[in-house]
């Protein structure tokens, strides 16, 4: 057993289930998120990945099983509580204001102010300077933090969101399909900064349907299908080919291959 595995996980789900009326969205899912590690959750559309995100982010509460944060059993009542406990979630659609500059989006909802009384105003110089420093700390060198964030590429916007979570003290970073709408080069850029967040000591949950991206950075892999776990592996327990085969459905894929063969 490694030293990392012996430490208390930052977040741990044990046998967690979630139902919406008579619909079973998740059943008996378990995973661990450790500091300085990336846990990848893989599955196709409808596998239960979004439900899992919403539980960890505090949007929905689990019905069965146990959720622990720093070893303490808990029910997250809201996204605000999850943030207060150090869990930052970056959704695929990114909650940004496209026409506002990068620095304004970086501090959105957490703007520092200076002055007193009726003369109190946004500390723009501090926000510009801090944004530039926080991005450079993660190795992100933008041309200009005054440019509207909507002019950045999808990969650059994802990187800004990752740097923001690191700057504001997140201990756990949950990323919802950060490379789904990106090309090969931009995906590589995002994965580089996902690894940088891991190297900063964060525990990262990477939600993806791409086993190649997951295997490039992942330390742990949880596979979901129709709301249930079909596999849970550490990196030294599985190869990329095996991960891809499990992700693709294994026997289902083989059966399809036979069906599609020319007679």
């Amino acid at each position: 057993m490694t030293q990392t595995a012996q430490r208390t996980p930052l977040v741990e789900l044990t046998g967690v289930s979630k139902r919406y009326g008579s619909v079973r969205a998740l059943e008996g899912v378990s995973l661990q998120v450790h500091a300085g590690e990336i846990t990848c959750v893989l599955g196709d559309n409808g596998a239960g990945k979004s439900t899992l995100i919403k539980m960890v982010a505090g949007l929905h509460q689990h019905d069965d099983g146990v959720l622990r944060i720093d070893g303490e059993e808990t029910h997250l009542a809201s996204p605000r509580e999850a943030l207060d406990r150090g869990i930052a979630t970056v959704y695929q659609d990114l909650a940004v204001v496209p026409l506002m500059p990068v620095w304004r989006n970086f501090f959105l909802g957490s703007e520092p102010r200076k002055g007193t009384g009726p003369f109190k105003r946004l500390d723009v110089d501090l926000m510009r300077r801090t944004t530039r420093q926080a991005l450079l700390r993660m190795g992100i060198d933008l041309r200009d933090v005054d440019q509207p964030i909507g002019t950045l590429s999808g990969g650059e916007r994802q990187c800004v969101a990752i740097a923001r979570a690191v700057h504001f003290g997140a201990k756990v970073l949950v990323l919802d399909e950060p490379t789904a709408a990106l090309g090969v080069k931009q995906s590589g850029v995002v994965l580089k900064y996902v690894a940088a967040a891991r190297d900063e000591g964060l525990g990262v949950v990477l939600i993806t349907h791409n086993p190649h991206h997951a295997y490039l950075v992942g330390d742990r892999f949880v596979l979901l299908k129709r709301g249930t776990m079909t596999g849970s592996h550490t990196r030294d327990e599985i190869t990329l080919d095996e991960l891809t085969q499990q992700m693709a459905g294994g026997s289902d894929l083989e059966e399809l291959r036979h069906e599609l063969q020319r007679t």
Side-chain angles (χ1 to χ4, degrees), residues 16-32:
V16 165
S17 301
K18 179 64 182 177
R19 296 175 183 83
Y20 301 102
S22 60
V23 178
R24 182 194 67 180
L26 281 180
E27 187 71 38
V29 173
S30 300
L31 65 79
Q32 294 184 347

Side-chain angles (χ1 to χ4, degrees), residues 257-263:
R257 186 176 69 83
H258 284 298
E259 290 178 5
L260 296 178
Q261 280 181 340
R262 293 177 184 270
T263 57

Side-chain angles (χ1 to χ4, degrees), residues 155-189:
E156 287 173 326
R157 289 196 296 272
Q158 288 280 356
C159 295
V160 170
I162 292 170
R164 183 184 192 277
V166 173
H167 173 75
F168 282 101
K171 294 189 295 182
V172 175
L173 178 62
V174 183
L175 298 167
D176 175 21
E177 299 271 10
T179 62
L182 304 179
V184 174
K185 186 175 181 180
Q186 285 290 311
S187 295
V189 170

Side-chain angles (χ1 to χ4, degrees), residues 71-85:
E72 177 188 347
E73 185 174 342
T74 187
H75 279 75
L76 292 172
S78 67
R80 179 78 261 171
E81 184 181 348
L83 273 172
D84 292 342
R85 300 290 297 268

